[in-house]
């Protein structure tokens, strides 16, 4: 079967249009949500965040975020040098925004706050601790794997 130039052009444009329609359909199936809904306000608060990081680095003993054994509680050890701590712990799951949660900073008498991991989604989590002690603000972020 011999195809003339008119038929070839029609086949080419038909395939081209069908591939564009397919790409438009696929792009509507993709989740375009942002990591943070308030990205502009977050950007304006960057200097405060930088100061908190500098304060945290100036501590003799840094805040420790550890998980002694897989499947057990996560321990957040606040340095005794800073004094009584208050603030917020944010558990951020990059894979699922609906799994994120926040906890208030409430260390026990030994300066360690324990967070149970039962019911948490397995995978990568970012633990973000934004806390105040002794009149200064501090920030520490660490990745953990459950």
């Amino acid at each position: 079967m011999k195809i003339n130039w008119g038929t070839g052009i029609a086949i080419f444009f038909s395939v081209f249009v069908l591939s564009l329609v397919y790409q438009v359909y696929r792009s509507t199936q993709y989740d375009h949500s942002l990591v943070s809904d308030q990205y502009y306000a977050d950007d304006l608060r960057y200097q405060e965040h930088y100061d908190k990081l500098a304060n945290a680095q100036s501590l003799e003993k840094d805040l420790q975020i550890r998980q002694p054994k897989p499947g057990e509680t996560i321990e957040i050890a606040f340095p005794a040098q800073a004094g009584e701590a208050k603030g917020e712990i944010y558990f951020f799951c990059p894979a699922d925004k609906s799994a994120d949660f926040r906890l208030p900073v409430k260390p026990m008498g030994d300066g360690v706050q324990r967070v149970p991991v039962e019911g948490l989604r397995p995978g990568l989590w970012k633990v973000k601790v934004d806390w105040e002690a002794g009149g200064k603000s501090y920030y520490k972020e660490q990745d953990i794997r459950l």
Side-chain angles (χ1 to χ4, degrees):
M1 178 172 142
K2 189 173 181 181
I3 299 176
N4 66 16
W5 63 272
T7 306
I9 291 174
I11 291 172
F12 173 77
F13 280 116
S14 298
V15 169
F16 179 72
V17 168
L18 287 174
S19 66
L20 284 178
V21 168
Y22 175 74
Q23 289 298 325
V24 168
Y25 169 74
R26 292 286 295 164
S27 69
T28 60
Q29 304 303 310
Y30 183 74
D31 180 23
H32 296 286
S33 63
L34 299 172
V35 172
S36 172
D37 293 332
Q38 301 88 19
Y39 64 92
Y40 186 70
D42 291 345
D43 190 41
L44 293 176
R45 289 193 306 264
Y46 182 75
Q47 184 60 42
E48 288 177 22
H49 179 72
Y50 184 79
D51 292 340
K52 290 177 183 180
L53 288 172
N55 288 341
Q57 288 179 347
S58 70
L59 290 170
E60 288 178 24
K61 185 178 179 190
D62 196 13
L63 176 107
Q64 302 287 320
I65 301 172
R66 58 184 179 259
Q67 187 177 17
K69 295 179 185 174
E72 289 189 3
T73 61
I74 297 168
E75 294 181 351
I76 302 171
F78 293 89
Q81 162 199 355
E84 187 176 333
K86 61 180 179 176
E88 181 179 69
I89 304 168
Y90 178 45
F91 282 80
F92 173 71
C93 180
D96 183 11
K97 183 179 179 178
S98 65
D100 298 355
F101 66 96
R102 298 174 189 271
L103 295 171
V105 171
K106 291 183 182 175
M108 304 302 269
D110 59 354
V112 177
Q113 182 167 349
R114 290 167 181 83
V115 179
V117 296
E118 297 96 35
L120 295 182
R121 172 191 174 122
L124 177 69
W125 286 81
K126 292 182 182 285
V127 180
K128 301 177 180 184
V129 183
D130 191 358
W131 55 292
E132 295 179 15
K136 287 187 175 183
S137 297
Y138 303 94
Y139 181 83
K140 169 89 182 233
E141 181 176 319
Q142 184 174 324
D143 293 346
I144 58 168
R145 205 165 268 288
L146 300 179

